Amino acid sequence: MTDASLFYRRFEDRYRGSRELILERLRGYTPYLKVLKRRHGKAAQALDLGCGRGEWLEVLGEVGLEGRGVDLDAGMLSACEERGFNAEYGDAIAALRSCEEGSLALVSGFHIAEHLEFDVLRELIAEAYRALAKGGMLILETPNPENLRVTAVDFYMDPTHQNPLPPRLLAFAVEFYGFDPCHILRLQEPVVAHDAHFPSTSEIYNCASPDFAVIAGKGWSATMRKRIGAAADKHAGVTAEALMDRHDVAQHHQQERIDGLLEEAHSDRERLDQQLAALHSDRERIDWRIDGLLEEAHSDRERVDQQLAALHSDRERIDWRIDGLLEEAHSDRERVDQQLATFRDAVRQEAENDRHQLLALVEDTAELSERFAVLDERLNELYDSRSWKITAPLRAVFGFAREVRAGLAILPRRTARRLLYSHRLRSFLVKHPRTYRVLSRLVRALGIHRCIWALAAEPSDKGAAHSSEASVSFSQAPDSPAHDTPGLPRHAQHVHRRLKRKFE
């Protein structure tokens, strides 16, 4: 690396900005690259002229485009090689001439145009148009001379710069060689440039967009024009002229407000003079009134002194009375303390008596629990006894007899209801009216129609309830015939089987 290359690389590191800052700025072109990738796909070829440290090649890789860079500075190319970018030593125009016609999707040059003589720049634009394919894109970014600080100072910080390029001149040169459309993007202006309603002289000098870029197309479709145009509208930027116009408008409004305030101040002064004259007369009248009030205050003070003397004597009398009341309160407090002590003793004695009564109740409860346990054991012994198991068939038979008796009692009523409320019988009699008349005469002749209706109307709940009770008592018997009898002696089991067969 030569001394000149080392000098320029360190100069770029100090004054152009860190790699991270440049990457952040270049990522602003991502929307345009995405449109280009959608048009050409992953096979799109991009050539970066004056690639420098390779920030733009890294952005192309992030989007998914294949990029190649050329540069004449060996120091800059070493930075690209350190990161593994495809960059080579060479002249920009020679690199474009080596490309076949219509072989590239993107030609870019960031801060290279200001380093070239204008005739060389025109030749570069013409070669870029030849090398670009239909739907291709040209991006040229350069310092913006619309920023007064860039024009006066910053542009000449780089000794390799030739001449500033106004945005309209570069756009015209691009359009002259066939590019259409052509968008001018003003870039990197501070936020205050958009927010300042009354820009100061310092803001006019510093805050216009310090850089601008020209994005031009070759044979763009209507969709590409629309999408790139929408993205370009967001980078309108700020010019020094716009800041000055904003400053002039705000200054004009401010001058109008000042003139209005001066007129208001003049009218306010006249009104204040009138108010001062009125106040002067009011002051004389107030002074006369104050003298009168001072005399009244003097007489009032003498009267107040007399009242204070009377209050002093009243206070001595009240203090004597308060001392007497404090002595009475002290004696009352001692008496109340004695009564409280007596009351506490009485409450403590009553609590002790209640405690003894509770202990007695607990003992009685334990005794009752023991009795219930004894009764429960006797009841279980009764259920486990031989007599209870032997008589289980008799209890079952008696329950079954009660069920049969209840069923015979309600059978006539059920039969009468089925006859009277039968849908089939009604349908049959409606279809055969002659049969209906014969049956009606027969029932009335026998005199049984009233008996049938009475049976159908009588409730059968009583018999059903009786049957239900019988079935429940039979099913809930502790020792029914269904219970096991292996624990009985053989003679008892024989008696149990005989009784069961007989009653079945």
Side-chain angles (χ1 to χ4, degrees):
M1 184 184 301
T2 64
D3 187 55
S5 298
L6 180 61
F7 173 85
Y8 197 73
R9 179 175 178 180
R10 291 185 179 177
F11 176 82
E12 287 278 311
D13 292 339
R14 175 177 293 186
Y15 290 106
R16 191 184 177 202
S18 65
R19 183 180 185 84
E20 291 73 19
L21 176 62
I22 301 303
L23 279 172
E24 182 181 356
R25 291 177 178 176
L26 292 178
R27 288 190 180 108
Y29 292 95
T30 301
Y32 308 99
L33 297 179
K34 289 183 178 179
V35 174
L36 195 66
K37 182 181 178 183
R38 184 177 296 180
R39 170 65 176 80
H40 295 277
K42 295 182 179 180
Q45 297 291 322
L47 177 62
D48 186 26
L49 307 176
C51 60
R53 296 176 299 188
E55 294 94 344
W56 180 246
L57 297 176
E58 184 172 344
V59 173
L60 292 175
E62 292 175 355
V63 177
L65 295 175
E66 182 179 351
R68 178 171 64 93
V70 294
D71 203 299
L72 291 173
D73 193 320
M76 295 297 179
L77 291 174
S78 64
C80 294
E81 293 174 357
E82 291 173 1
R83 297 182 177 271
F85 296 139
N86 183 9
E88 57 188 22
Y89 183 87
D91 179 71
I93 296 178
L96 286 171
R97 288 174 178 170
S98 66
C99 296
E100 296 181 1
E101 183 176 352
S103 61
L104 298 177
L106 172 65
V107 175
S108 58
F110 292 90
H111 291 268
I112 185 177
E114 67 272 16
H115 294 266
L116 304 176
E117 294 182 359
F118 193 70
D119 291 338
V120 177
L121 176 61
R122 289 191 296 107
E123 186 178 358
L124 183 144
I125 295 172
E127 287 296 330
Y129 187 82
R130 182 194 64 80
L132 282 173
K134 184 178 181 180
M137 181 184 297
L138 172 67
I139 301 177
L140 293 176
E141 182 180 307
T142 184
N144 185 8
E146 294 174 338
N147 183 301
L148 299 180
R149 178 174 177 175
V150 170
T151 304
V153 178
D154 291 349
F155 184 83
Y156 301 101
M157 282 291 294
D158 191 335
T160 62
H161 284 179
Q162 295 293 323
N163 293 305
L165 293 169
R168 287 179 291 178
L169 173 60
L170 184 58
F172 176 80
V174 169
E175 291 173 350
F176 179 80
Y177 287 99
F179 285 96
D180 180 49
C182 178
H183 298 282
I184 297 175
L185 313 182
R186 292 176 174 85
L187 308 168
Q188 280 87 53
E189 68 277 358
V191 178
V192 68
H194 296 279
D195 298 338
H197 299 290
F198 192 175
S200 64
T201 306
S202 175
E203 289 171 342
I204 294 173
Y205 179 74
N206 292 291
C207 293
S209 301
D211 295 324
F212 81 93
V214 168
I215 294 184
K218 177 182 177 181
W220 283 356
S221 64
T223 303
M224 287 187 69
R225 290 172 180 264
K226 181 178 179 181
R227 290 175 177 170
I228 293 177
D233 291 340
K234 299 178 182 178
H235 293 97
V238 178
T239 63
E241 183 180 358
L243 291 173
M244 287 187 287
D245 291 341
R246 204 184 306 168
H247 174 84
D248 292 341
V249 171
Q251 189 175 26
H252 178 70
H253 291 327
Q254 187 181 46
Q255 187 62 42
E256 290 180 348
R257 287 198 301 272
I258 290 172
D259 294 339
L261 291 173
L262 287 174
E263 292 178 0
E264 292 178 2
H266 182 69
S267 60
D268 290 341
R269 182 176 179 179
E270 293 179 352
R271 186 172 61 255
L272 288 173
D273 291 339
Q274 296 174 0
Q275 292 176 355
L276 284 173
L279 288 173
H280 183 70
S281 61
D282 291 340
R283 181 177 179 180
E284 293 178 351
R285 187 171 59 255
I286 290 170
D287 289 341
W288 176 80
R289 178 60 180 163
I290 288 173
D291 294 337
L293 292 174
L294 286 173
E295 292 178 0
E296 292 178 3
H298 182 69
S299 61
D300 291 340
R301 182 174 180 180
E302 292 178 352
R303 186 172 61 255
V304 168
D305 290 339
Q306 295 173 1
Q307 292 176 355
L308 285 173
L311 289 173
H312 182 69
S313 61
D314 292 339
R315 180 178 178 180
E316 291 178 352
R317 186 170 59 255
I318 290 170
D319 290 340
W320 176 78
R321 177 60 179 161
I322 289 173
D323 293 337
L325 291 174
L326 288 173
E327 292 179 358
E328 292 178 3
H330 182 68
S331 61
D332 291 340
R333 181 176 179 180
E334 291 178 352
R335 184 172 62 256
V336 169
D337 290 340
Q338 293 175 0
Q339 291 176 356
L340 284 174
T342 305
F343 179 73
R344 282 197 296 270
D345 294 338
V347 169
R348 190 179 295 108
Q349 186 61 37
E350 290 180 1
E352 188 66 24
N353 295 335
D354 292 341
R355 180 172 174 275
H356 290 305
Q357 291 178 3
L358 286 174
L359 291 174
L361 288 174
V362 170
E363 293 177 356
D364 294 342
T365 303
E367 185 178 352
L368 288 174
S369 298
E370 293 177 358
R371 289 184 179 181
F372 284 140
V374 172
L375 291 175
D376 188 44
E377 290 179 0
R378 291 182 178 179
L379 185 60
N380 290 332
E381 291 176 357
L382 175 62
Y383 286 156
D384 295 335
S385 63
R386 297 178 181 177
S387 60
W388 182 265
K389 294 180 180 179
I390 292 173
T391 57
L394 291 176
R395 292 195 305 275
V397 169
F398 289 148
F400 177 74
R402 284 194 296 269
E403 289 182 356
V404 172
R405 183 177 179 183
L408 292 175
I410 65 174
L411 182 60
R413 298 188 188 94
R414 289 182 179 174
T415 303
R417 285 187 178 183
R418 289 178 180 175
L419 288 174
L420 291 176
Y421 298 110
S422 174
H423 179 70
R424 292 182 179 179
L425 180 60
R426 288 184 183 182
S427 300
F428 177 79
L429 293 178
V430 169
K431 292 180 181 179
H432 303 83
R434 190 170 184 180
T435 305
Y436 171 73
R437 287 194 296 272
V438 172
L439 287 176
S440 178
R441 290 174 185 174
L442 178 62
V443 170
R444 291 183 180 278
L446 294 175
I448 61 174
H449 63 284
R450 295 179 181 176
C451 180
I452 293 173
W453 282 107
L455 287 173
E458 286 182 4
S460 61
D461 296 341
K462 184 176 179 181
H466 179 73
S467 175
S468 175
E469 291 175 1
S471 63
V472 169
S473 63
F474 177 79
S475 63
Q476 292 181 348
D479 291 318
S480 62
H483 282 70
D484 297 331
T485 58
L488 296 177
R490 294 181 62 186
H491 179 70
Q493 291 181 13
H494 177 70
V495 172
H496 174 77
R497 286 194 297 272
R498 290 184 62 188
L499 287 172
K500 183 176 180 181
R501 284 195 302 271
K502 182 175 182 180
F503 286 107
E504 285 177 353

